[in-house]
Amino acid sequence: AMGMAMPAHAANSSAASKAKILAPVTVAATGELDFGTFVTDGSGGIIDLDQNGNRTSCMGFSICSGATSAATFQATGTVGQTLVITSPGNFFLTGSNGGTVEIGNVIFSGPDVTVVSYFNSTAVVPASGSLNFNMTGSLWAQPGTDNGEYSGSFTVNVNYQ
């Protein structure tokens, strides 16, 4: 019959949804960065540490001695997830008699870590859920740097990628 309205046909569909909740990332320092002992004639110099904390160069100093070490850290997170390890940049140690020395060329390394650039690495959380990594770099003393004990702290950030 003409003029009769046809009933409307509705269509339905459903879609899946999902979410993933990751464990919070934690990070703790487990060992300190140590460049050892050095003697300067006042002209300044550079000390480099390799990824294991071993001194690889001592330029401009008459003597470099004593134990050295990488700073060590332990981070935890969700197994199999990628973490980004960063530091904001160069930092300074302050001397007991005044003055500062600069720390730079910071590298984060370890068995599960991929170095991206200075101050930036990535790592996949291993099956244990615990990631151990090192942090090393270079120490720069400017001409005229005072003798004394130098100390300071630095920030390491660990987040999911």
Side-chain angles (χ1 to χ4, degrees):
M2 279 211 304
M4 282 185 79
M6 298 298 286
H9 289 48
N12 293 336
S13 179
S14 64
S17 63
K18 63 181 182 175
K20 186 175 199 173
I21 299 174
L22 302 176
V25 173
T26 66
V27 63
T30 56
E32 66 182 15
L33 179 63
D34 190 341
F35 286 89
T37 302
F38 50 93
V39 177
T40 178
D41 62 5
S43 61
I46 299 170
I47 296 173
D48 294 314
L49 300 182
D50 69 14
Q51 294 178 359
N52 294 313
N54 300 308
R55 188 175 21 251
T56 57
S57 68
C58 176
M59 297 178 285
F61 300 114
S62 56
I63 298 172
C64 285
S65 64
T68 61
S69 62
T72 55
F73 296 87
Q74 184 177 59
T76 62
T78 300
V79 172
Q81 295 298 304
T82 300
L83 299 175
V84 177
I85 307 165
T86 61
S87 184
N90 291 3
F91 59 94
F92 293 87
L93 306 181
T94 302
S96 56
N97 294 319
T100 59
V101 294
E102 187 172 4
I103 309 298
N105 294 344
V106 169
I107 295 287
F108 300 105
S109 62
D112 300 301
V113 177
T114 301
V115 176
V116 176
S117 62
Y118 290 130
F119 308 104
N120 184 9
S121 292
T122 61
V124 175
V125 179
S128 67
S130 179
L131 173 73
N132 295 301
F133 64 92
N134 294 344
M135 180 252 162
T136 59
S138 299
L139 177 146
W140 299 302
Q142 297 299 317
T145 298
D146 294 323
N147 64 350
E149 298 279 331
Y150 283 77
S151 62
S153 63
F154 53 93
T155 301
V156 173
N157 302 303
V158 181
N159 293 300
Y160 287 113
Q161 186 176 47

